[in-house]
């Protein structure tokens, strides 16, 4: 049943890409995601330039000349490769910023019978975003140690780890709009396996440059659907934990 819910939610999100309102949010998210990747990569080149000088040879990057490298074609290619790792925190931040808009677009089309809900206060959204970001970054830094010892399994570890973490964040944020923080937490714990698998489905495209730009918004839409389907399948038990 879990796989059915996940696939249904994912294809419903894909099916709404042509929606005018949804598409506006999608491209805004893609543009901001790309801008954050460029900024992160520019910061990396600047740090290298600051510590090793205007011209230096660095493993993987090769010869570094900060501005020229930033504007070069090879820089774009390397940024896309680097995005495999950078997109994890970026996807988390973008989802937190746009989830309310994406979820509202999804609900207006697929769940029009639902009453309106107030937007999550900025202070709560910021607290959740920073908390999730801290966990994501810390866990992925520790995972690099495991990658070094188990390089043949590194991709699968990356998918499993970030699938769990992103799934936890996406679902918590989607559910919190409707049933509050405690209700969302209780529902998430009862469906950890399904949410983990769905999160892994979102984490896998993160390892594909360019495709990973679509993940934050598709993830927000997919988990909005998943929350409503899980809540409906749970029946009264999920309502008992609502705010």
């Amino acid at each position: 049943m879990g796989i059915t819910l996940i696939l249904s939610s994912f294809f419903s999100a894909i099916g709404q890409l042509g929606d005018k309102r949804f598409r506006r949010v999608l491209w805004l998210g893609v543009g901001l995601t790309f801008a954050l990747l460029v900024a992160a990569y520019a910061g990396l080149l600047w740090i290298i330039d600051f510590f090793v000088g205007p011209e230096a040879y660095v493993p993987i990057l090769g010869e570094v000349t900060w501005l020229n490298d930033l504007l070069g074609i090879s820089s774009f290619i390397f940024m896309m490769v680097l995005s495999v790792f950078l997109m994890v925190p970026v996807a988390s931040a973008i989802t937190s910023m746009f989830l309310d808009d994406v979820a509202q677009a999804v609900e207006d089309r697929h769940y029009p019978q639902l009453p309106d809900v107030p937007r999550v206060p900025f202070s709560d959204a910021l607290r959740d975003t920073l908390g999730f970001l801290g966990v994501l970054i810390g866990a992925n830094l520790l995972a690099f140690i495991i990658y070094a010892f188990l390089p043949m399994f590194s991709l699968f570890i990356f998918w499993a780890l970030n699938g769990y973490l992103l799934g936890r964040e996406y679902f918590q944020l989607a559910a919190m709009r409707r049933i509050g923080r405690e209700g969302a937490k209780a529902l998430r714990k009862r469906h950890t396996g399904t949410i983990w698998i769905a999160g892994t489905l979102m984490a896998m495209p993160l390892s594909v440059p360019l495709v990973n730009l679509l993940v934050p918004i598709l993830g927000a839409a997919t988990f909005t659907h998943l929350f409503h389907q899980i809540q409906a399948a749970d029946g009264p038990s999920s309502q008992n934990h609502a705010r």
Side-chain angles (χ1 to χ4, degrees):
M1 179 173 123
I3 295 296
T4 302
L5 290 181
I6 293 168
L7 293 178
S8 172
S9 299
F10 179 69
F11 286 117
S12 293
I14 290 288
Q16 199 171 346
L17 289 179
D19 183 290
K20 183 177 180 181
R21 179 182 170 190
F22 191 86
R23 192 168 61 242
R24 185 189 72 81
V25 177
L26 173 67
W27 289 117
L28 185 61
V30 168
L32 186 54
T33 299
F34 187 75
L36 287 174
L37 287 175
V38 171
Y41 183 57
L44 173 64
L45 290 179
W46 181 86
I47 290 171
I48 293 172
D49 179 75
F50 180 81
F51 283 103
V52 301
E55 294 185 6
Y57 182 85
V58 178
I60 301 178
L61 284 178
E63 186 179 2
V64 173
T65 53
W66 181 68
L67 186 57
N68 289 337
D69 280 345
L70 179 62
L71 299 177
I73 297 298
S74 60
S75 177
F76 175 80
I77 295 172
F78 182 76
M79 185 184 70
M80 289 298 99
V81 175
L82 193 64
S83 73
V84 172
F85 302 100
L86 291 178
M87 271 301 298
V88 174
V90 169
S92 172
I94 294 296
T95 299
S96 297
M97 293 171 61
F98 287 100
L99 185 128
D100 257 337
D101 295 320
V102 174
Q104 193 60 56
V106 167
E107 290 176 349
D108 286 347
R109 176 168 177 174
H110 294 275
Y111 312 95
Q113 76 283 0
L114 293 174
D116 292 336
V117 292
R119 293 183 67 90
V120 175
F122 176 77
S123 58
D124 287 355
L126 180 62
R127 180 180 66 177
D128 289 330
T129 298
L130 294 178
F132 283 129
L133 274 174
V135 172
L136 274 169
I137 293 172
N140 278 279
L141 288 176
L142 290 175
F144 274 104
I145 300 173
I146 302 175
Y147 298 157
F149 288 99
L150 299 170
M152 69 290 294
F153 299 113
S154 58
L155 186 59
F156 300 102
I157 295 171
F158 175 87
W159 287 342
L161 172 64
N162 289 291
Y164 174 78
L165 294 173
L166 290 175
R168 177 177 176 268
E169 175 182 12
Y170 286 170
F171 189 84
Q172 180 75 17
L173 292 174
M176 199 165 60
R177 296 176 66 251
R178 289 286 170 183
I179 59 176
R181 186 181 303 277
E182 292 306 314
K185 184 177 179 180
L187 190 62
R188 174 173 56 81
K189 286 183 175 180
R190 291 199 300 276
H191 296 274
T192 298
T194 298
I195 293 167
W196 191 347
I197 294 171
T200 302
L201 180 64
M202 296 297 105
M204 291 173 72
L206 287 177
S207 56
V208 182
L210 296 181
V211 175
N212 54 18
L213 296 174
L214 299 175
V215 171
I217 306 303
L218 279 179
T222 297
F223 274 84
T224 299
H225 283 291
L226 189 62
F227 158 67
H228 286 297
Q229 295 200 48
I230 284 178
Q231 186 185 41
D234 244 32
S237 63
S238 66
Q239 299 295 334
N240 292 337
H241 293 86
R243 59 184 166 201

